[in-house]
Amino acid sequence: MSFPLPVLDDRSFQDILDEARRLIPRFCPEWTDHNLSDPGITLLELFAWMTDISIYRLNRVPEKNHIAFLNLIGMRRNPARPASADVIFRLTAAQPEDLTIPAGTEIATEQTDALESIGFATDRDLVIRVPKLTHVLASRGTERFYNYLPALARPDLRLGVFSDTPIVDDAFYLGFRNDLNANSLYIEVDCTTDGVGVDPTDPPLRWEVWDRFDQEWVRAQTTEDTTRGLNAAGYVIVQVPYTAGFTVVDGKRAFWVRVRVVSPRHGQAVYARTPRILSIDVESIGGVVSATQATIIDQFLLGYSDGSPSQAFQLPVAPVLRNRQTDPLEIESEDGTFEPWSEVPDFGSSGPSDKHYMLDSVTGTVTFGPRIRAANGREEQMGEVPLLGRALRFPQYWTGGGVIGNVGAGTISVVKSAMPYVAWCRNETPASGGTESEDLEAVKLRAPHALRARSRAVTAEDFEALAIEASPAVARAQCLIVGGTARTIIMRPDQEPVDAADIANPQASSGNTELRQLVGSYASLRAQLRVSGAPTNIATSVGDFVGNGPGGIVRLLIVPALRDISGAVNPEQLGLSAKIRQEVFDYLDDRRIVTSELVLGTPPYTWVSVAATVKVAARTDRGLCAERARQALATYIHPVVGGSERAGWPFGRTLYIGELYAILQVIDGVEVIEDVTLYQVDPESGVSGPPVTQVSPGDGGLLVSGAHRISVR
């Protein structure tokens, strides 16, 4: 608990006036008329009012000193954060060549009479590639694979997609030579009506891709499916996520997309016979890319230098988005060209010839170094000052942020940039993450944490605190530090993976000569990746680790912030987008020690369901009571706001059935809890396991609410 600030003078206006009136008989006994209409009393009131103002100013001194101290230790307000959303771009038709939608493509919501248009911009290049299908496989269960590519040339064979009687984990694989992450695949198939037994609108099938981060098969969203469960000629549009990548299936390394038979939900019909495929064709008709609520300002002339120290310039639109790579300030040189200067957080280590400037993201103020008098009496310039008359400009900067960007699903639909072959764009999910600039009170609360100097990620607590600080999309983090030496795999598009240790090894095979010359050694490789930012030609992922070297694997489990914290949580809501991964990784990579390797992931989640029967008081609304019970259970068993502390279900903590009685008993109207049953649930199929008395999520795991069933008598 913080110490209360003292009130230096607690007298009020009335206290001062009353004290002055009591002193009248002592200093002026002949003054006997003390009524409010007396001019003397009016003068006393005037002076009491003036004294009250002085006391008010005096009592603000501690607050002023507090703010001065915040400035002294370098505390700054956090700027507004922009909302972001994944936006799907759809082409007018599949293109014969790869098509790039460049980073910074401007899109927006529609403008109406009541609402202004809100602008967004894409965060990275979206490359819509022409799929190059090289492998078609079918598997029976998880054991044997069959090569279907040659047989597809003979439609008369009427190939069975799965086993004669399909079983769980039967799968059909499409392998591509090129990387199709973030693409919208139009998979056209010609099928016969042989896959009987299923509901054609709800078949037990799931399209999946390989996640290069989590190293597992993950679900790919299907936006359209006209094949009626692979029972009719039609098409399926599969939205491949950002995180999809290459893997090896049956000894063949490719970019794989598969459709798999999954466990049916309760009451869901299953295949009695396998569907049969006659032909297949795949095209890319669009893609998905993250977009940030922002306005892009190009070639902005900031002004002209007057040659004085500490001069400041004001950008017309603020705040400046810090999660974007704002181009550096450029200053006109003697020959008329523009030279980039470097932004610094302060001028403490800037010399008189250092081309440095400071940028306040919240206010958009650009400041140059001051001239100060040193202890020896000489004046020293902290950072170079632009010469008189030289022009200053920003080639480009992004501005935006705030809750205004948290728009609903389907609202980002206007393509403002001229883009050939683009038919439309749309965000399938709401934009989220937009926050306003930090206020002074929040800075005061944050100051004690800043004084603990958590600028380096060394301990597990450091990693967890910095991960939450890295992005507003992170709600919680759990750090697991595993001793060992990391093996880093280097991958280039369309090539086999290469171990970094082999690149540095002079005895490496000749096939690695190009990469070995490129990076020279493992140390220079890390430097190149750090400088280049998000790697495009070279990507890294941490693989197996052995031994007990001086470093270690830091596995950071991230729980994303949830826009809606009521009701059951879907598995898709707990996934990590590529943008969140990149923000957290970049933030922590600059702060970790060099001997540690960082791996980001999600905690193992365990879904639970509760069935309860309660007896309520007379004249109680049974429907409302049941809804309150479901809401109370969903809130208590929640990864973000659950647990007794309402700070999220504790990592690794077991749920006991006895706790549920306490949760239900305090609900308005509930008199008796007759029965409570606890189940563990498969989140995909919704199938409940046998009744249990406790559920443990395992080490580092979290519990999540499924659908709860409440009976009210």
Side-chain angles (χ1 to χ4, degrees), residues 313-375:
F313 296 84
Q314 183 68 47
L315 290 169
V317 184
V320 178
L321 297 187
R322 307 304 295 184
N323 64 331
R324 293 299 311 169
Q325 184 60 46
T326 298
D327 289 343
L329 176 68
E330 293 182 345
I331 298 180
E332 185 181 13
S333 56
E334 187 175 356
D335 59 1
T337 61
F338 281 83
E339 180 183 14
W341 285 37
S342 301
E343 182 188 351
V344 293
D346 57 68
F347 296 111
S349 57
S350 300
S353 61
D354 292 329
K355 301 181 183 302
H356 292 169
Y357 70 95
M358 288 176 57
L359 172 61
D360 188 325
S361 301
V362 177
T363 62
T365 303
V366 176
T367 309
F368 292 95
R371 181 175 297 161
I372 63 173
R373 186 178 299 277

Side-chain angles (χ1 to χ4, degrees), residues 559-581:
V559 181
L562 301 180
R563 184 185 179 109
D564 183 8
I565 60 173
S566 62
V569 180
N570 296 323
E572 290 80 6
Q573 294 176 271
L574 296 172
L576 289 185
S577 69
K579 182 177 181 180
I580 297 176
R581 290 178 183 271

Side-chain angles (χ1 to χ4, degrees), residues 498 502-503 508-520:
V498 181
D502 292 338
I503 298 174
S509 62
S510 59
N512 297 334
T513 301
E514 180 189 355
L515 282 175
R516 187 168 65 253
Q517 292 174 347
L518 175 66
V519 298

Side-chain angles (χ1 to χ4, degrees), residues 618-633:
R619 294 184 298 278
T620 298
D621 186 327
R622 289 186 292 175
L624 179 60
C625 184
E627 179 59 31
R628 287 173 176 170
R630 282 190 289 268
Q631 182 62 46
L633 292 171

Side-chain angles (χ1 to χ4, degrees), residues 451-472:
L451 288 175
R452 296 189 180 98
R454 225 173 223 154
S455 59
R456 302 293 296 174
V458 180
T459 67
E461 291 77 11
D462 294 339
F463 278 97
E464 293 166 1
L466 291 172
I468 296 174
E469 185 179 304
S471 171

Side-chain angles (χ1 to χ4, degrees), residues 203-208 217-220 222 258-262 572 684:
L205 297 177
R206 188 167 81 171
W207 288 87
E208 298 176 326
W217 292 97
V218 297
R219 186 171 193 166
T222 54
R258 75 179 186 183
V259 57
R260 181 173 65 91
V261 179
V262 296
E572 290 80 6
E684 299 297 337

Side-chain angles (χ1 to χ4, degrees), residues 133 135-136 148-161 172-174 186-193 207 226-227 230-236 259 275-283:
L133 184 65
H135 306 288
V136 179
Y148 270 31
L149 188 60
L152 284 176
R154 296 185 54 189
D156 58 294
L157 293 178
R158 301 177 71 248
L159 295 173
V161 181
F172 187 70
Y173 294 78
L174 303 175
Y186 181 91
I187 303 175
E188 186 175 10
V189 293
D190 188 4
C191 301
T192 61
T193 312
W207 288 87
T226 65
T227 66
L230 301 180
N231 272 309
Y235 63 88
V236 181
V259 57
R276 299 186 180 276
I277 188 169
L278 306 181
S279 65
I280 189 166
D281 185 48
V282 184
E283 297 176 322

